[in-house]
Amino acid sequence: MKKTLVAATLASLAFSGGIASAQERICGTDIAIQHLIANNPQLESAYTQYEADVKQRTAALEAQNTNAAQKTTATYNVPVVFHVVLSQAQIDEIGGVSGIYDRIASQIDVLNTCYTGQNYNTDKGKILTQFQPLFGNPNITFGIAHTDPNGGGTTGVEIKIAPATFTGFDVTDNNIKKSSGGGFTTWDTKYVNIWITHITTASNGGQVLGYAYNPGLAQSMGDASLAGVVIDYLAFGRRSSIRQKFFGTADKGKTLVHELGHYFTLKHIWGDLPVGGGTCDKTQPHSDDDVADTPPQKDANQSTCPSGVKPNCTNSPGGEMYMNYMDYVQDACMVMFSKGQVTRMQTEFTPAGGSYQLQFNGGTLNWPTGISAVEAKNTFDIVPNPSNGVFSINFANTTADLRAVTVVNMMGQSVKQINTTEPANSLLIDMKGMPAGVYTVNCRFDEGIVTKKIVIE
Ligand SMILES: [Zn+2]
């Protein structure tokens, strides 16, 4: 007799811990680059040259965009790979492996909302009237890669359990990007590489939440494998329950929105001088963001949530654009890129840009064709298919090592996950109410993943 498990969504698990105490948020991007330059002063000129190139290419694209016929209207579909390096205790802190997948799904959702400007109506009230016409839509969508650089199938998520003594990776420590250093080796820059780990506390006691290397800059500074974003596991994903542990107010997925801004060449809105060292003299090096429509700003608005007009360097109408993703305000309060920032990011997708290759790698969002050994051994059928939302996964053999079933939509977002350790011949999945379309069902076994498509009508 076949045993059937009725699946239940794991909306939230038993999380231990509460909200981390409110401390200052720190972005490590400038720290990481300055550390590289300090160790190798020759890189200063490479950095300066690269910045000048980006500025010039952005100006060229801006000029092109003023000619309506040539205006960039492309949407860029970007494949992402997540490399997770955490101790078992840290993984347990965020709800185990399924907690990691939940945060990834929520994070992808936040990215796709912010990078297509879909938050405008909800967040308009947080944008001063003067800045509303400057709200930009980058038109970039993110999905989880399912074909790896060798053509093999992948969940797009690599997880490594660090030793119990693991204290984190320092912002200047690139071992996270090396398998030999205890991390995961960078895939090529046809993917956006994102490492989720713990970043050690900064010398001033603040928490570095994330840092990024732009791919073109990494290459021009002599190490293309640095390209990508490293993010602290407690600043990753969007809160869905009060019991989840996050770092202070960094619980709405905006740290990665900010860091990917750097990945696509954006600077902090006040420039790239250290926080507390900013200046209103925009003729000084590193004291501007090289974007024309973001008003001159002296320094960061750190971990605050300002309201009303906050006078800026030139007392321009509207004052500081503190609601910009490239400031340091609380997650809930950063809600926009400017149009000028969007042009600078889109320059990255032109032939000389560091992310040019990304747009041709959208095929890796799909699973590869062909049958693997694990698939042959663990084959299953989905009945009925097409389905009205309720369907059964029937395994050809009783499963011995099935760990999880994940249903992923066309955007690469996980919409359903069931964890299991019990042997089963079939699983009943209820997805009533989900939008019609093609979904991917991933059955994760110890030895690999078997995947099939399901059509929901
Ligand atoms: Zn930053």
Side-chain angles (χ1 to χ4, degrees), residues 26-30 210 258-259 262 267-268 270 326-328:
I26 297 176
C27 163
T29 299
D30 299 334
H258 172 109
E259 295 304 334
H262 288 310
K267 297 185 187 191
H268 290 134
W270 66 90
M326 300 315 287
D327 203 338
Y328 270 14

Side-chain angles (χ1 to χ4, degrees), residues 47-58:
Y47 178 71
T48 309
Q49 182 59 51
Y50 186 77
E51 286 300 329
D53 286 351
V54 171
K55 205 172 166 180
Q56 193 224 333
R57 283 189 276 117
T58 304

Side-chain angles (χ1 to χ4, degrees), residues 78-159:
V78 170
V80 179
V81 54
F82 294 100
H83 313 282
V84 184
V85 184
L86 291 169
S87 69
Q88 187 61 55
Q90 289 166 330
I91 291 174
D92 292 344
E93 245 184 323
I94 55 172
V97 169
S98 66
I100 295 173
Y101 278 85
D102 283 349
R103 288 193 189 211
I104 286 173
S106 69
Q107 183 65 72
I108 290 278
D109 188 48
V110 172
L111 294 179
N112 285 329
T113 301
C114 297
Y115 274 85
T116 57
Q118 288 180 68
N119 63 312
Y120 183 69
N121 286 333
T122 345
D123 287 336
K124 198 175 167 185
K126 297 174 181 173
I127 306 172
L128 292 176
T129 320
Q130 293 91 328
F131 296 142
Q132 288 174 2
L134 297 177
F135 183 90
N137 173 5
N139 249 334
I140 302 171
T141 62
F142 299 85
I144 302 173
H146 289 308
T147 299
D148 69 22
N150 301 318
T154 173
T155 56
V157 182
E158 303 184 302
I159 300 175

Side-chain angles (χ1 to χ4, degrees), residues 6-337:
V6 178
T9 306
L10 293 178
S12 66
L13 293 164
F15 295 109
S16 57
I19 302 168
S21 61
Q23 291 166 299
E24 290 190 336
R25 74 187 300 162
I26 297 176
C27 163
T29 299
D30 299 334
I31 302 170
I33 292 168
Q34 289 311 316
H35 176 81
L36 266 190
I37 293 173
N39 278 356
N40 187 354
Q42 289 172 332
L43 293 179
E44 174 88 54
S45 61
Y47 178 71
T48 309
Q49 182 59 51
Y50 186 77
E51 286 300 329
D53 286 351
V54 171
K55 205 172 166 180
Q56 193 224 333
R57 283 189 276 117
T58 304
L61 186 62
E62 237 154 32
Q64 182 185 314
N65 283 349
T66 54
N67 178 344
Q70 291 181 34
K71 188 168 164 49
T72 313
T73 52
T75 298
Y76 305 105
N77 300 311
V78 170
V80 179
V81 54
F82 294 100
H83 313 282
V84 184
V85 184
L86 291 169
S87 69
Q88 187 61 55
Q90 289 166 330
I91 291 174
D92 292 344
E93 245 184 323
I94 55 172
V97 169
S98 66
I100 295 173
Y101 278 85
D102 283 349
R103 288 193 189 211
I104 286 173
S106 69
Q107 183 65 72
I108 290 278
D109 188 48
V110 172
L111 294 179
N112 285 329
T113 301
C114 297
Y115 274 85
T116 57
Q118 288 180 68
N119 63 312
Y120 183 69
N121 286 333
T122 345
D123 287 336
K124 198 175 167 185
K126 297 174 181 173
I127 306 172
L128 292 176
T129 320
Q130 293 91 328
F131 296 142
Q132 288 174 2
L134 297 177
F135 183 90
N137 173 5
N139 249 334
I140 302 171
T141 62
F142 299 85
I144 302 173
H146 289 308
T147 299
D148 69 22
N150 301 318
T154 173
T155 56
V157 182
E158 303 184 302
I159 300 175
K160 187 177 276 185
I161 314 278
T165 51
F166 177 68
T167 53
F169 288 93
D170 189 78
V171 64
T172 59
D173 180 359
N174 294 317
N175 279 323
I176 180 73
K177 297 171 184 178
K178 294 173 195 139
S179 182
S180 59
F184 278 109
T185 304
T186 317
W187 292 14
D188 63 45
T189 49
K190 290 179 185 168
Y191 302 84
V192 176
N193 285 264
I194 296 172
W195 290 267
I196 304 165
T197 188
H198 177 51
I199 305 171
T200 47
T201 310
S203 51
N204 69 355
Q207 176 64 51
V208 174
L209 301 186
Y211 59 97
Y213 281 96
N214 162 262
L217 178 65
Q219 190 166 25
S220 71
M221 293 182 79
D223 189 353
S225 73
L226 292 179
V229 174
V230 181
I231 184 163
D232 192 275
Y233 72 118
L234 294 180
F236 180 81
R238 179 182 55 209
R239 180 187 294 282
S240 60
S241 150
I242 189 70
R243 297 171 66 194
Q244 286 177 307
K245 187 170 177 181
F246 279 89
F247 182 84
T249 54
D251 64 350
K252 295 187 168 45
K254 303 296 181 66
T255 300
L256 193 56
V257 175
H258 172 109
E259 295 304 334
L260 284 167
H262 288 310
Y263 184 86
F264 296 123
T265 76
L266 296 189
K267 297 185 187 191
H268 290 134
I269 202 156
W270 66 90
D272 46 7
L273 290 169
V275 177
T279 167
C280 271
D281 183 357
K282 298 303 173 192
T283 63
Q284 293 299 309
H286 308 297
S287 62
D288 193 23
D289 62 356
D290 292 332
V291 174
D293 63 1
T294 56
Q297 183 170 319
K298 185 178 178 187
D299 220 317
N301 287 295
Q302 197 166 50
S303 305
T304 58
C305 190
S307 60
V309 175
K310 186 164 183 265
N312 69 325
C313 290
T314 54
N315 282 316
S316 55
E320 295 187 349
M321 193 188 274
Y322 52 75
M323 68 298 297
N324 195 286
Y325 293 121
M326 300 315 287
D327 203 338
Y328 270 14
V329 294
Q330 296 173 5
D331 270 20
C333 311
M334 49 170 74
V335 296
M336 74 177 282
F337 290 116

